[in-house]
């Protein structure tokens, strides 16, 4: 019997008024259900209260979303953040071990924006906290005063690694234009990650996990945004979904 693959989507911890909530953006849920053809399962940001191996064993895929919060710098040995920086320690306590468990168990993984950064940190890499403040790098942040269609519109070109997964999904194209809504970025690339795309200023924009038994790729941009209008975004989600469906089929058989 065919069934939709069960794809985990880790939540962020947020205060709404006086009450704490676990939240996931609708665009990520729809990217799983409509773009990847999966059944989204929202994973609460409970950190060590979750048995990560037990959770992961029940999944056919894991999509790690973007977020307004930054990974806490002590997670990768970084300097303290600037005052006022938004963090989400409960999410960090959840996603970092969840990513490692997914890779160890061969669960297909797709990381987006913060999820891209979390993959690097989970495997031992480091981050720039403010890419725009480092000489030689461009400002990769969005204009928060602009309409969402502008914020998520094409912002810059990335060069695709020849022979990489993304280059294949892009029909062999050498470059594509992507959106850009991030302040953090990869500093030292974790061992075991291979570069899939770089921005014109040299910043790493996409990676895959070398030797992973299943699909394991992450991008700094936001392919979930109106993915049906972007051939590469649509192809990326379909490919991730197909990998999750393959795992689901094997688990049923």
């Amino acid at each position: 019997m065919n069934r939709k693959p069960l794809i985990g989507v880790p939540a962020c911890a947020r205060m709404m008024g006086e009450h704490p909530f676990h939240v996931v953006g609708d665009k990520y849920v729809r990217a799983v259900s409509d773009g990847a053809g999966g059944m989204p399962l929202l994973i609460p940001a409970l950190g060590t209260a979750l048995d990560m191996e037990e959770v992961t064993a029940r999944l056919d895929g894991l999509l790690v979303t973007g977020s307004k919060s930054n990974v806490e710098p002590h997670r990768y040995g970084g300097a303290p953040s600037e005052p006022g920086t938004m963090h989400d320690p409960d999410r960090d306590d959840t996603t970092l071990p969840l990513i490692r468990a997914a890779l160890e168990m061969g669960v297909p993984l797709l990381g987006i924006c913060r999820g891209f950064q979390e993959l690097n940190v989970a495997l031992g890499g480091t981050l720039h906290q403010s890419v725009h403040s480092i000489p030689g790098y461009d400002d990769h942040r969005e204009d928060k005063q602009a309409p969402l269609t502008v914020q998520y519109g094409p912002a810059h070109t990335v060069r695709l690694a020849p022979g990489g997964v993304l280059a294949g999904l892009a029909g062999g194209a050498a470059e594509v234009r992507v959106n850009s809504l991030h302040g953090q970025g990869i500093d030292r690339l974790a061992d075991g990650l291979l570069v899939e795309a770089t921005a014109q200023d040299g910043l790493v924009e996409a990676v895959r996990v070398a030797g992973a038994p299943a699909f394991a790729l992450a991008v700094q941009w936001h392919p979930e945004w109106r993915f049906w209008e972007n051939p590469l975004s649509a192809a990326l989600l379909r490919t991730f979904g197909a990998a999750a469906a393959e795992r689901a089929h094997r688990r049923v058989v």
Side-chain angles (χ1 to χ4, degrees):
M1 182 180 78
N2 290 330
R3 64 173 176 83
K4 288 187 175 183
L6 188 65
I7 297 178
V9 187
C12 297
R14 288 283 186 275
M15 291 298 296
M16 296 184 181
E18 298 181 356
H19 297 278
F21 284 77
H22 299 267
V23 300
V24 174
D26 178 76
K27 58 184 177 161
Y28 298 109
V29 174
R30 302 285 180 177
V32 168
S33 64
D34 301 345
M39 177 69 70
L41 175 69
L42 308 191
I43 302 173
L46 295 177
T48 56
L50 292 175
D51 184 324
M52 298 304 172
E53 290 189 1
E54 180 182 359
V55 172
T56 307
R58 301 184 183 194
L59 299 178
D60 300 310
L62 179 67
L63 186 143
V64 191
T65 72
S67 174
K68 292 183 178 180
S69 64
N70 285 356
V71 178
E72 292 184 307
H74 75 81
R75 309 279 180 172
Y76 52 88
S81 298
E82 291 292 327
T85 300
M86 183 178 181
H87 293 299
D88 189 344
D90 291 331
R91 170 166 169 149
D92 292 346
D93 284 340
T94 305
T95 53
L96 298 180
L98 194 60
I99 287 169
R100 289 189 286 264
L103 294 176
E104 290 170 3
M105 299 176 71
V107 175
L109 181 147
L110 175 60
I112 294 173
C113 198
R114 192 191 207 272
F116 165 83
Q117 297 159 8
E118 288 168 313
L119 173 61
N120 191 53
V121 172
L123 297 184
T126 64
L127 302 177
H128 293 303
Q129 295 185 51
S130 300
V131 171
H132 52 278
S133 67
I134 301 172
Y137 285 114
D138 298 329
D139 191 340
H140 289 252
R141 298 173 297 176
E142 74 279 20
D143 179 359
K144 292 182 173 60
Q145 304 305 314
L148 282 181
T149 53
V150 176
Q151 292 185 42
Y152 282 88
H156 64 77
T157 299
V158 296
R159 293 185 292 272
L160 303 181
V165 173
L166 289 177
L169 295 178
E175 296 182 342
V176 294
R177 286 186 63 78
V178 299
N179 50 30
S180 187
L181 301 93
H182 63 100
Q184 291 197 127
I186 286 184
D187 178 9
R188 181 176 58 78
L189 189 67
D191 293 340
L193 291 182
L194 300 176
V195 176
E196 279 275 328
T198 54
Q200 292 174 317
D201 59 4
L203 190 68
V204 176
E205 288 273 336
V207 296
R208 74 177 186 275
V209 180
F215 182 95
L217 187 142
V219 298
Q220 181 63 87
W221 62 89
H222 285 266
E224 84 287 353
W225 176 260
R226 302 185 70 84
F227 62 85
W228 56 90
E229 297 177 350
N230 184 294
L232 178 57
S233 297
L236 177 58
L237 290 171
R238 281 197 308 270
T239 303
F240 167 60
E246 181 181 349
R247 176 176 171 82
H249 176 73
R250 291 200 309 270
R251 280 151 51 81
V252 170
V253 174

